[in-house]
Amino acid sequence: MSGGVRMTIAGGNIPSRQADAPAPARASTSQKLLRVSVPLLMLFLALLAWDLYVRLNDVPPYILPGPLTVADALLNDWGTLWPALFVTTKITFMALALALLGGVGLAVFLVQSRWVELAFYPFAVILQVTPIVAVAPLILIYAPTTQVALLICAFLVAFFPILSNMVQGLKSVDHHLLNLFDLYGASRWQTLLYLKLPAAQPYFMTGLRIGGGLALIAAVVAEFAAGSAGANSGLAFRLLEAQYRLNIPRLFAALILLSLLGVAIFALTSFIAWLSLRRWHESSVRREN
Amino acid sequence: MNIMHAPGELVVGMRASARPVVTMREVSKVFSNGTLALSDMSLDVKNGEFLSLLGPSGCGKSTALRIIAGLGVASSGTIDWPSSRINSKGLPQGDISFVFQEPTLMPWQTVFGNVYLPFRLRHLPKRQARDQIMETLAMVGLEDFAEAYPRELSGGMKMRVSIARALVTKPKLLLMDEPFAALDEITRQKLNDDVLRLWRQTGVTVIFVTHSVYESAYLSSRIVVMKARPGQVFAEVPLERADMRDGYYRTSEEYRATCERVSRTLQEAIASAEPVS
């Protein structure tokens, strides 16, 4: 987070530049260090506690493997786990990309008129509220390959939060600004491009963050339901497989990869949100009192 | 008379004769819920004048302003903009600017980006618009804040940006809808002085909606006092020497007398309104 936070200028009737005047106190280096080291230390302590518990109680690895055993499994089974991680990542991101396209596209379409919204919104709601696990068998029958079925499932789940947030955002445009665009004779397209879409950015980012998390969950759940096998299987299948074989260290390894993937997606979407909102939106601006 | 002005300022008396900027004939507005917001309003707005619409809330002054802007359609009566180009929708194009009660800035755009908006909508490239934008920002004293975002500015500065955006296209008619009502007294006085100065400098015709007697008496060359229920014109108060006013005028006997006269007319307008049933 570079770039000093500008102070809000009060009493602004003096037409002189104050924004670049004394840089507001930045977090000192030691504070920055603490921000990184505290969470890392806590994670390390948790691992240590886990390890000690397993060692002191002599827990067998098929009940609860210690962290070192899991790390061992992670390295030894990399040949199996890596392709699975790749498959799951691919499905998650493709589903998210499709959901972004579809969600934003449909939202723009829905807000064109009240009638369009009345006609189409129920379908989106029905798709959303029907549990994906229940629809998955049907999708598996219709889809040409298991991969496509997984993709459709993940898409359906990630799509709705993006759609509903986007619809909300596109409708929440300041009415005076809409009047202003009218007054200047802006076309529908200009109003969408220069006003409605930028104004919906914070809502879009919320949808993106929720959708990103859900896409991963759906990709895993759908694979549980689909029970895919062979070379193209994802982490969920490897997880189930490890369970059947009572290979608990590998199960843990797969689990850790899944949560790392989840964290990475969260970090990525949060970073994108911060990038686009940091200059102007209250949610991304730090304020000093 | 014009010795008082800085070089380059227009002399108000010279531009009063041309065709009216807006003519309204018996314009009425009924909202969809049945409220009669404006009843038989007739008004000629002369080129170059500073006209205030003064009245209590519910007198239809904002409604009238929106109809003049072409943002709302009159239910009956005629409105014309004799000296403007009229577009295919029957509305004036490019000659009218509006300043709302809120600054109404796009928070995701810088000050420069906000002022650039009218040009952007006309497909004028940023390079060609830059000089005019910076010039207008300098007029409102914000040339150093071009790259700042609205949230970094105070309320008064945001309003200046809003005024700069309205003036950057050099409109014939500037409509202001209680623009300073939400600002503190000191900021408001400062902005009143600025608006007067910009009016003299640019020669723009201003229609200014307000519910403040003091503001209208300080700014206007003519005050149209309106009454509520139904909203209609109650009386007109022409004022003299609007081009001469400055900080000293605020404390002058003349200003005090004017305020008293306008205030009395407004009281009569309020008293004449039918009581709420």
Side-chain angles (χ1 to χ4, degrees):
Chain A
M1 300 214 180
S2 65
V5 182
R6 288 219 206 140
M7 293 204 297
T8 306
I9 298 136
N13 284 312
I14 314 114
S16 68
R17 183 87 200 182
Q18 295 183 339
D20 285 341
R26 292 179 189 201
S28 60
T29 336
S30 65
Q31 247 186 337
K32 270 186 188 164
L33 213 66
L34 273 179
R35 282 177 60 121
V36 182
S37 56
V38 168
L40 281 181
L41 187 73
M42 281 311 290
L43 274 176
F44 177 75
L45 285 179
L47 284 176
L48 200 67
W50 175 13
D51 192 53
L52 282 177
Y53 174 80
V54 171
R55 274 173 204 278
L56 294 178
N57 294 307
D58 251 340
V59 185
Y62 55 85
I63 302 288
L64 177 66
L68 287 175
T69 324
V70 172
D72 204 39
L74 202 57
L75 285 177
N76 286 330
D77 297 343
W78 190 246
T80 324
L81 291 175
W82 164 249
L85 174 67
F86 181 74
V87 166
T88 302
T89 310
K90 195 176 76 178
I91 287 174
T92 304
F93 276 91
M94 276 171 73
L96 185 59
L98 287 176
L100 287 180
L101 276 178
V104 173
L106 189 61
V108 168
F109 177 64
L110 285 186
V111 296
Q112 292 308 309
S113 94
R114 256 174 52 81
W115 294 111
V116 173
E117 192 185 351
L118 273 175
F120 287 94
Y121 206 67
F123 291 100
V125 174
I126 290 169
L127 275 179
Q128 161 67 15
V129 295
T130 314
I132 200 66
V133 188
V135 195
L138 204 58
I139 295 174
L140 272 165
I141 295 175
Y142 292 148
T145 68
T146 315
Q147 296 296 297
V148 175
L150 297 186
L151 191 62
I152 293 174
C153 288
F155 162 78
L156 286 178
V157 171
F159 162 80
F160 191 78
I162 294 166
L163 172 75
S164 61
N165 273 293
M166 228 16 223
V167 166
Q168 186 71 12
L170 290 171
K171 283 177 163 182
S172 304
V173 178
D174 181 351
H175 282 261
H176 286 324
L177 274 171
L178 282 172
N179 276 336
L180 195 76
F181 272 64
D182 265 359
L183 196 68
Y184 286 125
S187 65
R188 238 168 188 225
W189 175 244
Q190 283 178 320
T191 309
L192 178 69
L193 208 61
Y194 299 145
L195 179 58
K196 288 188 175 171
L197 285 178
Q201 268 184 90
Y203 295 84
F204 171 78
M205 292 306 161
T206 307
L208 176 68
R209 259 188 286 191
I210 299 172
L214 284 183
L216 177 61
I217 295 174
V220 170
V221 170
E223 203 180 5
F224 279 159
S228 72
N232 273 331
S233 51
L235 277 174
F237 174 74
R238 294 295 169 208
L239 220 137
L240 279 180
E241 187 191 46
Q243 184 208 5
Y244 292 145
R245 297 180 183 175
L246 227 60
N247 189 346
I248 304 302
R250 189 196 275 186
L251 195 154
F252 266 87
L255 208 52
I256 284 172
L257 284 181
L258 271 179
S259 51
L260 282 180
L261 180 56
V263 169
I265 290 171
F266 179 79
L268 185 68
T269 51
S270 299
F271 180 66
I272 293 171
W274 176 78
L275 265 190
S276 74
L277 303 181
R278 74 201 151 112
R279 293 305 301 274
W280 64 274
H281 199 254
E282 294 297 337
S283 67
S284 298
V285 179
R286 274 183 295 166
R287 226 188 161 96
E288 277 182 54
N289 286 311
Chain B
M1 206 188 209
N2 55 347
I3 315 166
M4 303 280 293
H5 300 292
E9 289 188 0
L10 286 170
V11 183
V12 177
M14 282 173 63
R15 50 181 159 99
S17 56
R19 280 192 293 177
V21 184
V22 180
T23 57
M24 295 171 84
R25 289 287 168 270
E26 284 156 17
V27 169
S28 297
K29 173 80 180 181
V30 185
F31 285 131
S32 52
N33 63 8
T35 312
L36 178 61
L38 198 62
S39 162
D40 289 337
M41 180 171 182
S42 295
L43 184 70
D44 283 315
V45 182
K46 293 190 275 294
N47 192 15
E49 76 174 323
F50 198 120
L51 176 76
S52 284
L53 300 180
L54 174 68
S57 54
C59 72
K61 52 194 194 300
S62 290
T63 308
L65 200 69
R66 297 177 76 81
I67 291 174
I68 292 171
L71 287 173
V73 183
S75 308
S76 66
T78 56
I79 174 157
D80 190 23
W81 301 266
S83 50
S84 296
R85 278 174 296 124
I86 304 295
N87 68 8
S88 55
K89 292 179 195 159
L91 298 172
Q93 190 72 64
D95 283 339
I96 296 186
S97 285
F98 206 110
V99 175
F100 297 91
Q101 182 171 352
E102 313 288 321
T104 314
L105 303 175
M106 299 176 287
W108 58 89
Q109 287 278 7
T110 59
V111 167
F112 184 93
N114 271 288
V115 180
Y116 173 53
L117 176 73
F119 291 130
R120 188 177 200 183
L121 295 175
R122 291 180 193 175
H123 307 286
L124 189 74
K126 220 176 246 184
R127 271 177 297 106
Q128 290 175 36
R130 177 169 294 276
D131 287 348
Q132 202 166 333
I133 293 170
M134 291 314 290
E135 198 181 295
T136 314
L137 281 178
M139 280 203 313
V140 298
L142 287 178
E143 66 272 35
D144 291 334
F145 289 94
E147 296 311 316
Y149 282 81
R151 59 166 302 282
E152 299 168 311
L153 306 178
S154 68
M157 292 166 96
K158 282 183 204 161
M159 200 38 100
R160 283 162 195 276
V161 179
S162 191
I163 293 171
R165 177 180 61 197
L167 288 177
V168 75
T169 51
K170 300 197 189 327
K172 279 205 182 76
L173 181 58
L174 175 61
L175 307 176
M176 306 181 91
D177 188 4
E178 301 189 31
F180 310 139
L183 299 175
D184 63 272
E185 183 65 24
I186 297 167
T187 310
R188 179 162 49 208
Q189 285 195 8
K190 183 81 173 63
L191 279 167
N192 280 343
D193 285 333
D194 287 334
V195 165
L196 263 186
R197 177 175 53 80
L198 292 169
W199 173 61
R200 287 175 202 144
Q201 265 178 22
T202 59
V204 66
T205 308
V206 181
I207 305 180
F208 192 97
V209 164
T210 181
H211 52 231
S212 160
V213 168
Y214 307 100
E215 198 168 50
S216 63
Y218 187 66
L219 294 170
S220 323
S221 51
R222 183 158 63 115
I223 299 175
V224 170
V225 179
M226 298 181 71
K227 71 183 223 17
R229 288 185 300 276
Q232 55 191 182
V233 173
F234 178 75
E236 279 193 25
V237 184
L239 302 179
E240 282 170 7
R241 307 207 313 165
D243 52 325
M244 303 271 292
R245 290 174 197 152
D246 54 22
Y248 293 109
Y249 180 75
R250 271 188 203 286
T251 51
S252 70
E253 171 59 25
E254 188 189 344
Y255 178 56
R256 195 203 59 75
T258 306
C259 287
E260 195 184 321
R261 185 153 54 105
V262 175
S263 188
R264 210 180 304 122
T265 315
L266 181 62
Q267 287 310 317
E268 287 164 19
I270 292 168
S272 76
E274 292 158 27
V276 191
S277 49

Coordinates of all heavy atoms in Angstrom, one line a residue, chain A residues 187-223:
Chain A
S187 N -26.0 10.0 -24.8 CA -26.7 8.9 -25.3 C -26.8 7.8 -24.2 O -26.2 7.9 -23.2 CB -26.0 8.4 -26.5 OG -24.7 7.9 -26.1
R188 N -27.7 6.8 -24.5 CA -27.8 5.7 -23.6 C -26.5 5.0 -23.3 O -26.1 4.7 -22.2 CB -28.7 4.7 -24.2 CG -29.9 4.4 -23.4 CD -31.0 3.6 -24.1 NE -32.1 3.6 -23.3 CZ -32.8 2.6 -23.0 NH1 -32.6 1.5 -23.5 NH2 -33.8 2.7 -22.1
W189 N -25.8 4.9 -24.4 CA -24.5 4.2 -24.3 C -23.5 5.0 -23.5 O -22.8 4.4 -22.6 CB -24.0 4.0 -25.8 CG -22.6 3.4 -25.9 CD1 -21.5 4.1 -26.4 CD2 -22.2 2.1 -25.5 NE1 -20.4 3.2 -26.3 CE2 -20.8 2.0 -25.8 CE3 -22.8 1.1 -24.9 CZ2 -20.1 0.9 -25.5 CZ3 -22.1 -0.1 -24.6 CH2 -20.7 -0.2 -24.9
Q190 N -23.5 6.3 -23.7 CA -22.6 7.2 -22.9 C -22.9 7.1 -21.4 O -22.1 7.1 -20.5 CB -22.6 8.6 -23.4 CG -21.9 8.9 -24.7 CD -22.0 10.3 -25.1 OE1 -23.1 10.9 -25.1 NE2 -20.9 10.9 -25.6
T191 N -24.3 7.2 -21.1 CA -24.7 7.1 -19.8 C -24.3 5.8 -19.1 O -23.8 5.8 -17.9 CB -26.2 7.3 -19.7 OG1 -26.6 8.4 -20.4 CG2 -26.7 7.4 -18.2
L192 N -24.3 4.7 -19.8 CA -23.9 3.4 -19.3 C -22.4 3.4 -19.0 O -22.0 3.1 -18.0 CB -24.3 2.3 -20.3 CG -23.9 0.9 -19.9 CD1 -24.7 0.5 -18.7 CD2 -24.1 -0.1 -21.0
L193 N -21.7 3.9 -20.0 CA -20.2 3.8 -20.0 C -19.6 4.7 -19.0 O -18.7 4.4 -18.3 CB -19.7 4.0 -21.4 CG -18.4 3.4 -21.8 CD1 -18.5 1.9 -21.7 CD2 -18.0 3.8 -23.2
Y194 N -20.1 6.0 -19.0 CA -19.4 7.0 -18.2 C -20.0 7.2 -16.8 O -19.5 7.8 -15.9 CB -19.4 8.3 -18.9 CG -18.7 8.3 -20.2 CD1 -19.1 9.1 -21.3 CD2 -17.6 7.5 -20.4 CE1 -18.5 9.1 -22.5 CE2 -16.9 7.5 -21.6 CZ -17.4 8.3 -22.7 OH -16.7 8.2 -23.9
L195 N -21.3 6.7 -16.7 CA -22.0 7.0 -15.4 C -22.3 5.7 -14.7 O -21.9 5.4 -13.5 CB -23.2 7.8 -15.6 CG -24.0 8.2 -14.4 CD1 -23.2 8.9 -13.3 CD2 -25.2 9.0 -14.7
K196 N -23.1 4.8 -15.3 CA -23.7 3.7 -14.6 C -22.7 2.7 -14.2 O -22.6 2.2 -13.1 CB -24.8 3.1 -15.4 CG -26.1 4.0 -15.5 CD -27.2 3.3 -16.1 CE -28.5 4.1 -16.0 NZ -29.6 3.6 -16.8
L197 N -21.8 2.3 -15.2 CA -20.8 1.3 -14.9 C -19.8 1.8 -13.8 O -19.5 1.0 -12.9 CB -20.1 0.8 -16.2 CG -21.0 -0.1 -17.1 CD1 -20.2 -0.5 -18.3 CD2 -21.4 -1.4 -16.3
P198 N -19.2 3.0 -14.0 CA -18.3 3.4 -12.9 C -19.0 3.5 -11.6 O -18.4 3.2 -10.6 CB -17.8 4.8 -13.4 CG -18.2 4.9 -14.8 CD -19.3 3.9 -15.1
A199 N -20.2 4.0 -11.6 CA -20.9 4.1 -10.3 C -21.2 2.8 -9.6 O -21.3 2.7 -8.4 CB -22.3 4.9 -10.5
A200 N -21.3 1.7 -10.5 CA -21.6 0.4 -9.9 C -20.3 -0.3 -9.5 O -20.4 -1.4 -8.9 CB -22.3 -0.4 -11.0
Q201 N -19.2 0.3 -9.7 CA -17.9 -0.4 -9.4 C -17.8 -1.0 -8.0 O -17.5 -2.2 -7.8 CB -16.7 0.6 -9.5 CG -16.1 0.6 -10.9 CD -14.9 1.5 -10.9 OE1 -13.8 1.1 -10.6 NE2 -15.1 2.7 -11.2
P202 N -18.2 -0.2 -6.9 CA -18.1 -0.8 -5.6 C -19.0 -2.1 -5.4 O -18.6 -3.0 -4.8 CB -18.6 0.3 -4.6 CG -18.4 1.5 -5.4 CD -18.6 1.2 -6.9
Y203 N -20.2 -2.0 -6.0 CA -21.1 -3.1 -6.0 C -20.5 -4.3 -6.7 O -20.6 -5.5 -6.3 CB -22.4 -2.8 -6.6 CG -23.2 -1.7 -5.8 CD1 -22.9 -0.4 -6.0 CD2 -24.1 -2.1 -4.8 CE1 -23.6 0.6 -5.3 CE2 -24.8 -1.1 -4.1 CZ -24.5 0.2 -4.3 OH -25.2 1.2 -3.6
F204 N -19.9 -4.0 -7.9 CA -19.3 -5.1 -8.7 C -18.2 -5.8 -7.9 O -18.1 -7.0 -7.9 CB -18.7 -4.5 -10.0 CG -17.9 -5.4 -10.8 CD1 -18.4 -6.4 -11.6 CD2 -16.5 -5.4 -10.7 CE1 -17.7 -7.3 -12.3 CE2 -15.7 -6.3 -11.4 CZ -16.3 -7.2 -12.2
M205 N -17.4 -5.0 -7.2 CA -16.3 -5.6 -6.4 C -16.8 -6.5 -5.3 O -16.2 -7.5 -5.0 CB -15.4 -4.4 -5.8 CG -14.7 -3.7 -6.9 SD -13.7 -4.7 -7.9 CE -13.4 -3.7 -9.3
T206 N -17.9 -6.1 -4.7 CA -18.5 -7.0 -3.7 C -19.0 -8.3 -4.3 O -18.7 -9.4 -3.8 CB -19.8 -6.3 -3.1 OG1 -19.4 -5.0 -2.6 CG2 -20.3 -7.1 -1.9
G207 N -19.6 -8.2 -5.5 CA -20.0 -9.4 -6.2 C -18.9 -10.2 -6.6 O -18.9 -11.5 -6.5
L208 N -17.8 -9.6 -7.0 CA -16.6 -10.3 -7.4 C -16.0 -11.1 -6.3 O -15.6 -12.3 -6.4 CB -15.6 -9.3 -8.0 CG -14.2 -9.9 -8.4 CD1 -14.3 -10.8 -9.6 CD2 -13.2 -8.8 -8.7
R209 N -15.9 -10.5 -5.1 CA -15.3 -11.2 -4.0 C -16.2 -12.3 -3.5 O -15.7 -13.4 -3.2 CB -15.1 -10.2 -2.8 CG -13.7 -9.7 -2.7 CD -13.4 -8.9 -1.5 NE -14.0 -7.6 -1.7 CZ -13.7 -6.6 -0.8 NH1 -12.9 -6.8 0.2 NH2 -14.3 -5.4 -1.0
I210 N -17.5 -12.1 -3.5 CA -18.4 -13.2 -3.1 C -18.4 -14.3 -4.2 O -18.2 -15.5 -3.9 CB -19.8 -12.7 -2.9 CG1 -19.9 -11.7 -1.8 CG2 -20.8 -13.9 -2.6 CD1 -21.2 -11.0 -1.6
G211 N -18.4 -13.9 -5.4 CA -18.5 -14.8 -6.5 C -17.2 -15.7 -6.6 O -17.2 -16.9 -6.9
G212 N -16.0 -15.0 -6.3 CA -14.8 -15.7 -6.4 C -14.7 -16.9 -5.4 O -14.3 -18.0 -5.7
G213 N -15.2 -16.6 -4.1 CA -15.2 -17.6 -3.1 C -16.2 -18.7 -3.5 O -15.9 -19.9 -3.3
L214 N -17.4 -18.3 -4.0 CA -18.4 -19.3 -4.3 C -18.0 -20.2 -5.4 O -18.3 -21.4 -5.5 CB -19.7 -18.6 -4.6 CG -20.5 -18.1 -3.4 CD1 -21.8 -17.5 -3.8 CD2 -20.7 -19.2 -2.3
A215 N -17.3 -19.6 -6.4 CA -16.9 -20.4 -7.6 C -16.0 -21.6 -7.1 O -16.2 -22.7 -7.6 CB -16.1 -19.5 -8.5
L216 N -15.1 -21.4 -6.2 CA -14.3 -22.5 -5.7 C -15.1 -23.5 -4.9 O -15.0 -24.7 -5.2 CB -13.2 -21.9 -4.8 CG -12.3 -23.0 -4.1 CD1 -11.5 -23.7 -5.2 CD2 -11.3 -22.3 -3.2
I217 N -16.0 -23.0 -4.0 CA -16.8 -23.9 -3.3 C -17.6 -24.8 -4.3 O -17.7 -26.0 -4.1 CB -17.8 -23.1 -2.4 CG1 -16.9 -22.4 -1.3 CG2 -18.8 -24.1 -1.7 CD1 -17.7 -21.5 -0.4
A218 N -18.2 -24.1 -5.3 CA -19.1 -24.8 -6.2 C -18.3 -25.8 -7.0 O -18.7 -27.0 -7.3 CB -19.8 -23.9 -7.1
A219 N -17.1 -25.5 -7.4 CA -16.2 -26.4 -8.2 C -15.9 -27.6 -7.4 O -15.9 -28.8 -7.9 CB -14.9 -25.7 -8.6
V220 N -15.7 -27.5 -6.1 CA -15.5 -28.7 -5.2 C -16.7 -29.5 -5.0 O -16.7 -30.7 -5.2 CB -14.9 -28.2 -3.9 CG1 -14.8 -29.3 -2.9 CG2 -13.5 -27.6 -4.1
V221 N -17.8 -28.8 -4.6 CA -19.1 -29.5 -4.4 C -19.5 -30.3 -5.6 O -20.0 -31.4 -5.5 CB -20.2 -28.5 -3.9 CG1 -21.5 -29.1 -3.9 CG2 -19.8 -27.9 -2.5
A222 N -19.4 -29.6 -6.8 CA -19.9 -30.2 -8.0 C -19.1 -31.5 -8.3 O -19.6 -32.5 -8.7 CB -19.8 -29.2 -9.1
E223 N -17.8 -31.4 -7.9 CA -17.0 -32.6 -8.2 C -17.3 -33.7 -7.2 O -17.3 -34.9 -7.6 CB -15.5 -32.2 -8.1 CG -14.6 -33.2 -8.9 CD -13.1 -32.9 -8.8 OE1 -12.8 -32.0 -8.1 OE2 -12.4 -33.6 -9.5

